[in-house]
Amino acid sequence: MSNVPILPCFKKYDVRGRLGDTLDEGIVYRIGRAFAAVMGPSVVVTGRDCRSSSTSLQGALHRGLMDQGVDVIDLGLCGTEEVYFATDHYQVGGGLMVTASHNPIDYNGVKMVQAGARPISSTEGMQAIRDMASANVFPDPTGQGALRIGDCRATYVDRVLSFVDVSRLAPLRVLVNAGNGAAGPTFDAIAAALDDCGSPLTFLRHNHSPDGTFPNGLPNPLLSENQDQTSEPILAQSADIGVAWDGDFDRCFFFDEMGRFIDGEYVVALLAQVFLAKERGARIVHDNRVVCATRATVADGGGVAVASPTGHTFMKANMRAHDAVYGGEMSAHHYFRNFMYCDSGMIPFLVMLEYMSIEKQPLSTLVATMQAQFPSSGELNFHISDPAIAFARVEEAYLSQAHSVDRMDGLAIEGPHWRFSLRRSNTEPMVRLNVETIMDAGLCDTIVNDIKDLIISKTPE
């Protein structure tokens, strides 16, 4: 297959492509057959987000899987984490979710896991699936698979609620913004179960109905231009906290009672604190971009901080290797040992509500100390033609001041009261910068401006 053009929709860990260009029903059919042939499952589960193209693409995926002899359990409209859960719940050989999450409206894709909801890496099948789908040549099937409808949402809801003690919840007003993505129906099932348990929470729904045209913009709360969609109704409805999700709700974003977006590194540190209060000495996995608040919080809680390269495959591998109780990325992916070591967007908001209830403090107060102690720049992206030159220039400028240099995931250099991480994008000529300091916001700004000058300055002739 070495001379076969590779389908460009295959990325490092999943499939994403522009409809009618790099992704269509024929390609997704081939992906289904390739997954079946390479991974060898007898049964898989599938789901889809609410994009207008997802129903037909899921149908093509089903045909490919069944034509290769695999039975399919169809969850219908759901979240990616529900596919993870169902793969484990039904004890089947894999799970496939048709979704493009927060990507542009003319995109779609497929996320895949193997048995036990374990991720599929390049060495564990992704490259082989890619190569077979690209070649469009498959082994003869042993038979024809069958399709049935699956529904394990009630069991999934029970698992989500198992992370909190509902009796400890206070009567908080919670603004929830589904972004017109897939989160609405699943959230409603969770809210109904909470009501049945006597929960005093009041939920204020916003952009709640799934709508694949995304009339209120793409569901990506990480983008500053989208955050007013959550912050404004928080203020208008006097909510105590705001929660927003992306399109397939595997990411969860928080806003305080003043409508202010809470940067992901502080959410990771806060959730680490919560889990260490329940299990002192536990291991906490965190991505290596912004680390100071999390490392300090884990140390204070008697835990063990484990750094990981960014990306769900690395995070899940480290979660399993260290049997970590919780893991978090600043991009709003949160992983849980008792959820197959997988990421969930529904578990974090319940854990946060329980913590606010126990502490009897607003979210703004809970994060204020760590925000003051560990100022950070937020992730800054720079489009440049030659990332290698930029990396070399920054390293040369800062190496003499470094206490440590970390190449786990790009370049991270740490000094006496500062740290920065510089990473390359996997798909574009872009570098991503994160700067953090110890109790010195001015120094944070100075280092950002200095590195910015180094990155964007012209390469000498």
Side-chain angles (χ1 to χ4, degrees):
M1 298 182 183
S2 58
N3 295 323
V4 174
I6 298 298
L7 289 171
C9 59
F10 276 85
K11 308 304 178 185
K12 198 169 185 179
Y13 308 118
D14 58 19
V15 170
R16 284 175 290 117
R18 189 188 301 271
L19 296 167
D21 180 11
T22 57
L23 193 73
D24 56 28
E25 290 183 26
I27 291 172
V28 173
Y29 171 86
R30 289 153 64 181
I31 291 169
R33 289 201 66 172
F35 182 94
V38 171
M39 304 306 295
S42 57
V43 186
V44 300
V45 298
T46 73
R48 68 175 185 275
D49 69 13
C50 69
R51 287 173 182 257
S52 303
S53 60
S54 290
T55 299
S56 62
L57 291 178
Q58 188 189 23
L61 184 66
H62 289 169
R63 292 191 294 275
L65 290 161
M66 292 189 296
D67 284 354
Q68 201 60 37
V70 173
D71 292 340
V72 175
I73 301 173
D74 177 10
L75 302 181
L77 177 68
C78 65
T80 296
E81 66 192 67
E82 291 182 271
V83 169
Y84 296 157
F85 177 81
T87 302
D88 184 66
H89 171 74
Y90 288 119
Q91 294 292 290
V92 298
L96 302 96
M97 175 73 179
V98 176
T99 181
S101 185
H102 59 278
N103 287 110
I105 198 166
D106 58 340
Y107 275 68
N108 217 318
V110 184
K111 295 181 178 179
M112 297 173 266
V113 293
Q114 56 185 308
R118 292 175 178 264
I120 300 175
S121 67
S122 58
T123 58
E124 293 182 310
M126 186 63 75
Q127 183 173 324
I129 294 169
R130 180 200 68 185
D131 291 347
M132 187 176 290
S134 297
N136 199 20
V137 177
F138 310 99
D140 292 335
T142 56
Q144 179 69 27
L147 176 68
R148 68 182 174 92
I149 302 302
D151 184 3
C152 60
R153 180 164 287 167
T155 311
Y156 156 82
V157 169
D158 287 343
R159 177 70 64 85
V160 171
L161 293 188
S162 72
F163 281 81
V164 298
D165 181 349
V166 176
S167 69
R168 304 187 77 175
L169 294 173
L172 299 170
R173 291 171 58 82
V174 184
L175 188 288
V176 292
N177 182 359
N180 300 116
T186 305
F187 172 83
D188 287 342
I190 293 171
L194 286 167
D195 284 343
D196 290 342
C197 295
S199 162
L201 298 170
T202 297
F203 292 115
L204 311 166
R205 292 163 170 83
H206 187 67
N207 298 340
H208 198 67
S209 299
D211 186 337
T213 67
F214 300 126
N216 297 292
L218 289 169
N220 185 6
L222 190 60
L223 299 179
S224 58
E225 59 266 29
N226 293 342
Q227 290 168 5
D228 284 349
Q229 287 282 335
T230 305
S231 60
E232 290 180 356
I234 287 172
L235 297 174
Q237 300 188 59
S238 301
D240 296 303
I241 184 175
V243 182
W245 294 279
D246 63 355
D248 60 340
F249 65 86
D250 60 352
R251 294 189 299 157
C252 177
F253 303 84
F254 291 94
F255 296 73
D256 69 16
E257 73 281 5
M258 291 175 276
R260 297 180 303 191
F261 179 79
I262 306 300
D263 289 321
E265 62 265 28
Y266 304 117
V267 175
V268 172
L270 190 57
L271 291 177
Q273 182 175 313
V274 172
F275 280 93
L276 287 169
K278 297 180 179 184
E279 187 178 328
R280 189 171 179 84
R283 290 173 171 82
I284 304 292
V285 175
H286 61 88
D287 71 325
N288 206 38
R289 286 174 285 185
V290 183
V291 305
C292 292
T294 299
R295 290 193 309 203
T297 298
V298 172
D300 289 345
V304 178
V306 179
S308 171
T310 300
H312 80 101
T313 297
F314 295 115
M315 291 289 294
K316 291 172 182 175
N318 277 301
M319 288 284 294
R320 290 178 180 274
H322 297 276
D323 194 31
V325 65
Y326 163 72
E329 295 182 274
M330 58 173 288
S331 56
H333 285 282
H334 301 281
Y335 305 81
F336 304 91
R337 180 174 62 201
N338 292 338
F339 194 70
M340 304 84 61
Y341 300 96
C342 288
D343 41 336
S344 165
M346 290 295 173
I347 294 169
F349 92 88
L350 286 177
V351 172
M352 190 72 78
L353 294 179
E354 182 189 40
Y355 189 57
M356 290 172 59
S357 300
I358 293 170
E359 294 297 314
K360 297 181 173 59
Q361 292 182 331
L363 181 55
S364 60
T365 301
L366 292 174
V367 299
T369 299
M370 65 179 67
Q371 288 174 326
Q373 288 180 331
F374 306 106
S376 70
S377 64
E379 189 157 84
L380 306 170
N381 297 317
F382 300 92
H383 290 267
I384 56 176
S385 59
D386 194 334
I389 291 177
F391 269 64
R393 189 183 292 119
V394 171
E395 183 172 356
E396 181 181 7
Y398 277 87
L399 202 55
S400 63
Q401 308 172 51
H403 286 185
S404 67
V405 178
D406 183 346
R407 304 184 193 278
M408 172 190 292
D409 191 9
L411 174 68
I413 297 182
E414 189 163 354
H417 302 290
W418 53 266
R419 182 183 186 273
F420 68 79
S421 166
L422 200 60
R423 299 175 59 252
R424 297 190 197 198
S425 167
N426 289 322
T427 58
E428 302 175 78
M430 177 190 293
V431 296
R432 308 187 192 279
L433 171 67
N434 285 279
V435 179
E436 53 189 323
T437 59
I438 309 298
M439 299 185 71
D440 194 336
L443 178 60
C444 186
D445 292 340
T446 297
I447 294 174
V448 166
N449 291 330
D450 184 40
I451 295 178
K452 180 179 177 180
D453 288 343
L454 290 166
I455 289 174
I456 66 176
S457 61
K458 300 294 185 181
T459 302
E461 296 296 335

